[in-house]
Amino acid sequence: MPIHYHKRVTIVPKLVHLNLSPHGWSVSFGPRQAHITWHRHGRRTTTVRLPGGFSWRRHSRGHGGDHH
């Protein structure tokens, strides 16, 4: 079983978080139930947590980001 490291630092309680991992950083806006995350290379992820342990995610490329 692989082990992953992830650190979430609260900037503004229940609103803005800095996420750190060995792969880089990202910034999240919104509560855990529905938030938008901007990743360091311009990718954006919208996440909505649903009842019963399910979640919906949509990934998109931000404006002006690298296209690898």
Side-chain angles (χ1 to χ4, degrees):
M1 170 159 71
I3 297 174
H4 300 275
Y5 173 77
H6 181 258
K7 177 70 175 172
R8 180 177 167 112
V9 178
T10 300
I11 306 298
V12 177
K14 297 185 179 182
L15 185 61
V16 181
H17 305 277
L18 176 64
N19 307 296
L20 304 169
S21 75
H23 300 286
W25 58 270
S26 64
V27 177
S28 295
F29 296 91
R32 286 184 185 252
Q33 292 79 17
H35 60 272
I36 298 172
T37 303
W38 276 272
H39 303 270
R40 66 185 180 121
H41 289 299
R43 193 176 87 185
R44 183 177 63 231
T45 303
T46 303
T47 305
V48 177
R49 291 184 185 222
L50 305 170
F54 295 97
S55 64
W56 174 84
R57 287 186 183 170
R58 179 179 177 135
H59 302 283
S60 60
R61 181 65 66 180
H63 296 293
D66 296 345
H67 295 282
H68 295 275

